[in-house]
Each structure stands twice: as C-alpha cells, then as structure tokens.
Amino acid sequence: MHWSFYIVAGLTIGSAIAAMSLRNIVHCALLLTVTFAGLALLYLQLNAQFVALAQMLIYIGAVAILIVFAILLTRSSETTGDSPLSLAGVVSGVLIALAAFVTLARAVASSALIRQASPAPVPASVRQIGQELMKNYVLPLEIVALLLTAALIGAAVIALQERRRSE
Amino acid sequence: MSSPLAQYLIVSAALFSIGLAGALIRRNAVLVLIGIELMLNAANLNFIAFWRYGKNPQALAGIMFVIFSIAVAAAEAAVGLALIIAIYRHYKTTQVDKIDRMRG
C-alpha cells in the first residue's frame, strides 16, 4: 500500500475525531470540512474522480457552508459552546461506538472476500457515467430530481414558518 | 489485513464509529447532524472501495449508488438544518435534551 494512503487516512480520521470532540462548534464545522476533503482524496486514490469532484462540490461547497450558516444562525450569546453530557453518558456513548467498530473490524478481518487479489483499476470516465445515468439509471435520476425539489421547497417552508406566523 | 480493500473498509468503519459516538455524545443538534453526515460518508467510502476492488467494476453500480446517496444526503442536510433553525426560533436552544415537548 502506498504511503499516501496512510497520510490521507490519518488526516481524515484525526479530523473526524477532532470534529466530534472539540468544544467550540465553529471549530467542529471547519474540521468537518477537512474530513470531507480527506474523503475526496480517498476517492481519488480509488480511481473515482467524478465522485471525488462531486464530494468536493457538494460536501465542501454546499453542506459545510450550510452547517456553518446553521451554527451562526442558532448561536445564542450565552451558550456558545456545547455543554457536555455527564461522564456516564460520554463513557456509554464511546463504549457503544467502540463495540460497533470492533464488530465491523472483526467482520472485515474474518471475511474471505477481501483476501482476493486486487484487480487493475478500471477507468470510469465522465462520458461513461453520463451514458449510464441516461440509459440504465434514468428513472432514479428523475426521482432524485423530484426529491431535491421537494426537499428544497420543504426546507424553505419549514425555516420560514415561524416568521410568517408572527407577522 | 494487507489487502487494500480491507484497509479502506477499516477506515470506513472508524469513520462510522466516530460519527456514531458524536451523534450519541454531543447535545447540540447541529453536531448530531454532523455525526449522521459522517456515518453517511463512511457508507459512501464503502461503496467506492467495493466498486474499485469488486468483481465487476465495468457496471459502475458503486459510483451510481454513491451519486444518488450524495444527492439524498444533501436533501437530508437541508431539511435537517431547516428543522434545527425552526426549533431554535421556538425554543431559543439547540440542545437536544432541552427540547422535550412536541406541542408548542
């Protein structure tokens, strides 16, 4: 395995741990952006260039900005940070997550499927992806378009509701 | 554990566990949503890794699934953050354990 994988994986996991454990919420959102960028680099290493580009555009460009906006809109002056849970809550949450990780890691380590030789990378050009989207996946594409429209209208209606009632 | 697929799967499992821990431990609703986003991204990494090292990468099924998954995750983030903003207007807090009534 190439050493760049370990650097990118360490960056991704380290920034994810920091994003979930820091007290300042704005720092958490910024480190989440680093995690998304690390995932885009992992996609590039896996030869999925289009998905890496989509990850950068959608997650770093849109979702991270949306999260920062939500944090700044919901930040009151007295509670800038996140008051932590009790110690028992933190310990039980970490134990549940560790149990999930150990279960997944044991399943990965004991699987026979992953021991086979890795095949040569297959190029997935944007032309191929576009043709697949227009041929085999055209119905899911239309459904996703409908879902995104409904989600956009729904998000606007939900977020504007209180103001309309008070006026 | 020397296979590259196993290493990507371990990274994905670690990301999923971190997201799960964050969603369970943190009390700010935005951070709970961030934990859920991390878990979704871990699933996407699994799809891409299985596509790259799978038996039939010409079918592009893994890439297609991740594209649709990213679209659905974007819709989920938009609606979730709109709900958090609406709840904040009402309760003046985003701590999830203080939001304990369903009627206004």
Side-chain angles (χ1 to χ4, degrees):
Chain A
M1 199 81 198
H2 209 253
W3 50 267
S4 62
F5 168 77
Y6 296 105
I7 296 176
V8 174
L11 181 77
T12 307
I13 293 179
S15 62
I17 291 173
M20 288 283 94
S21 57
L22 286 185
R23 287 191 61 83
N24 193 328
I25 305 174
V26 179
H27 294 173
C28 294
L30 294 179
L31 280 159
L32 181 75
T33 313
V34 177
T35 308
F36 288 156
L39 273 163
L41 291 177
L42 285 177
Y43 294 154
L44 276 181
Q45 287 186 344
L46 284 166
N47 210 26
Q49 287 90 357
F50 182 76
V51 177
L53 199 67
Q55 170 91 8
M56 283 190 197
L57 274 176
I58 296 171
Y59 274 106
I60 304 175
V63 173
I65 300 295
L66 207 62
I67 286 173
V68 170
F69 264 104
I71 287 171
L72 295 181
L73 280 175
T74 60
R75 198 159 66 151
S76 51
S77 55
E78 73 273 15
T79 57
T80 52
D82 187 19
S83 53
L85 277 180
S86 61
L87 188 65
V90 172
V91 168
S92 60
V94 169
L95 279 182
I96 290 171
L98 271 180
F101 177 72
V102 169
T103 309
L104 288 170
R106 280 177 64 92
V108 168
S110 65
S111 167
L113 182 72
I114 60 172
R115 290 207 190 88
Q116 61 196 13
S118 59
V122 171
S125 66
V126 179
R127 177 190 296 268
Q128 279 175 308
I129 293 171
Q131 281 176 348
E132 281 287 312
L133 272 179
M134 281 295 134
K135 281 179 193 165
N136 293 334
Y137 296 90
V138 67
L139 188 63
L141 187 70
E142 298 296 327
I143 293 173
V144 161
L146 200 65
L147 172 79
L148 282 176
T149 313
L152 195 66
I153 297 172
V157 167
I158 290 169
L160 287 178
Q161 203 173 19
E162 196 78 14
R163 185 189 299 166
R164 195 173 55 206
R165 193 181 294 157
S166 64
E167 276 174 2
Chain B
M1 297 300 281
S2 60
S3 128
L5 174 59
Q7 289 177 328
Y8 281 104
L9 293 185
I10 291 292
V11 170
S12 164
L15 268 182
F16 181 86
S17 307
I18 293 164
L20 180 64
L24 288 176
I25 291 172
R26 304 307 294 261
R27 295 199 303 172
N28 191 304
V30 179
L31 285 166
V32 174
L33 203 69
I34 287 177
I36 293 169
E37 288 288 335
L38 278 181
M39 290 194 267
L40 277 167
N41 272 292
N44 287 351
L45 183 60
N46 259 6
F47 278 124
I48 292 291
F50 276 120
W51 166 77
R52 165 68 178 79
Y53 296 107
K55 284 191 188 303
N56 191 12
Q58 289 86 9
L60 295 180
I63 286 193
M64 290 301 149
F65 214 115
V66 169
I67 289 172
F68 291 122
S69 163
I70 287 178
V72 174
E76 173 255 331
V79 175
L81 291 171
L83 277 173
I84 290 172
I85 289 173
I87 287 173
Y88 176 76
R89 286 221 185 94
H90 197 82
Y91 286 100
K92 303 295 171 208
T93 181
T94 54
Q95 309 285 316
V96 285
D97 52 355
K98 289 189 184 141
I99 305 164
D100 50 1
R101 286 173 301 154
M102 286 194 75
R103 70 181 286 277

